[in-house]
Amino acid sequence: GAGVSQSPSNKVTEKGKDVELRCDPISGHTALYWYRQSLGQGLEFLIYFQGNSAPDKSGLPSDRFSAERTGGSVSTLTIQRTQQEDSAVYLCASSGGGAFYEQYFGPGTRLTVT
Amino acid sequence: QKEVEQNSGPLSVPEGAIASLNCTYSDRGSQSFFWYRQYSGKSPELIMFIYSNGDKEDGRFTAQLNKASQYVSLLIRDSQPSDSATYLCAVKPSYDKVIFGPGTSLSVIP
């Protein structure tokens, strides 16, 4: 596709339910990043994938959060047993691999936990 | 010390003025630097990147990098109300790690 796509665009879930958020990166981009942005706040790094290397999970806030990237392309971020504090916009970005490549962001998924 | 710092603002400038946005970073080995603009309710979009010391101009935007001082800035000339947004500084200290600053909110007053 022309850009990074994410689905769903909006998700409302009840506290305690599991949710899956999907990211389709730009074709050919080897690096994929997940961020979280709460209302009025900056970007909080969650996890990134680079090619076939082990992902950098250092930003995941708890073991309820996990992510995978299948075939070096599509990624899914899973939040188990959602809590109200998980409510935020979840942004995915992709990049060509390397220090001099910029990131391109998807439109985000707005998650609301009731 | 935070890895990437920016003044949170809000920064207010009159229409037509120059807006100056500043960013400092802690990792001296950082190689590339990016400025993103984020409108309220939207995703960040890249507006400038710079790798070498000095100035880089693109239309009304100029990015300035001083690696010795670990400082990068963004100047917006002839500011327009449509420039009102949050500006995020991003630094790549290594191959793929990206660190974002907290952002500076800019308001251009007509």
Side-chain angles (χ1 to χ4, degrees):
Chain A
V4 179
S5 61
Q6 292 185 246
S7 60
S9 56
N10 280 285
K11 177 71 176 179
V12 180
T13 191
E14 292 180 352
K15 178 182 173 181
K17 300 284 190 182
D18 297 352
V19 294
E20 286 190 350
L21 312 179
R22 177 187 168 105
C23 173
D24 261 292
I26 292 173
S27 178
H29 278 188
T30 57
L32 186 148
Y33 305 76
W34 283 99
Y35 297 90
R36 178 168 71 175
Q37 189 171 37
S38 300
L39 188 64
Q41 302 299 308
L43 295 176
E44 177 187 3
F45 166 76
L46 297 177
I47 186 170
Y48 92 79
F49 300 87
Q50 168 54 39
N52 296 321
S53 302
D56 178 347
K57 304 179 181 181
S58 60
L60 294 179
S62 77
D63 59 8
R64 296 186 298 104
F65 288 74
S66 63
E68 64 177 18
R69 189 178 184 192
T70 53
S73 182
V74 172
S75 177
T76 302
L77 177 69
T78 300
I79 309 173
Q80 296 178 312
R81 304 180 304 281
T82 52
Q83 304 295 312
Q84 287 186 329
E85 60 263 29
D86 299 334
S87 296
V89 175
Y90 289 81
L91 291 163
C92 174
S94 71
S95 169
F100 301 99
Y101 286 90
E102 62 273 23
Q103 293 180 313
Y104 293 90
F105 283 83
T109 293
R110 181 175 298 278
L111 175 66
T112 303
V113 182
T114 61
Chain B
Q1 181 186 5
K2 293 183 180 178
E3 294 183 84
V4 178
E5 298 195 52
Q6 299 178 249
N7 291 333
S8 61
L11 173 66
S12 292
V13 299
E15 183 174 356
I18 295 176
S20 177
L21 305 162
N22 303 317
C23 174
T24 58
Y25 59 94
S26 60
D27 190 325
R28 188 171 288 278
S30 296
Q31 301 180 52
S32 48
F33 308 85
F34 306 86
W35 283 99
Y36 289 83
R37 177 177 62 200
Q38 186 175 27
Y39 292 114
S40 180
K42 300 295 186 182
S43 297
E45 57 177 329
L46 179 74
I47 53 173
M48 288 286 290
F49 60 86
I50 187 166
Y51 309 138
S52 304
N53 277 328
D55 294 359
K56 179 181 179 183
E57 187 174 318
D58 183 0
R60 296 186 296 111
F61 299 98
T62 298
Q64 299 175 316
L65 175 61
N66 184 325
K67 290 186 177 180
S69 299
Q70 296 173 241
Y71 174 92
V72 59
S73 66
L74 179 70
L75 301 178
I76 307 175
R77 290 181 300 281
D78 188 25
S79 295
Q80 302 297 308
S82 59
D83 295 326
S84 298
T86 296
Y87 290 80
L88 301 168
C89 171
V91 174
K92 265 193 170 181
S94 63
Y95 187 80
D96 272 312
K97 185 175 182 180
V98 181
I99 302 174
F100 280 84
T104 297
S105 174
L106 172 66
S107 179
V108 180
I109 312 300

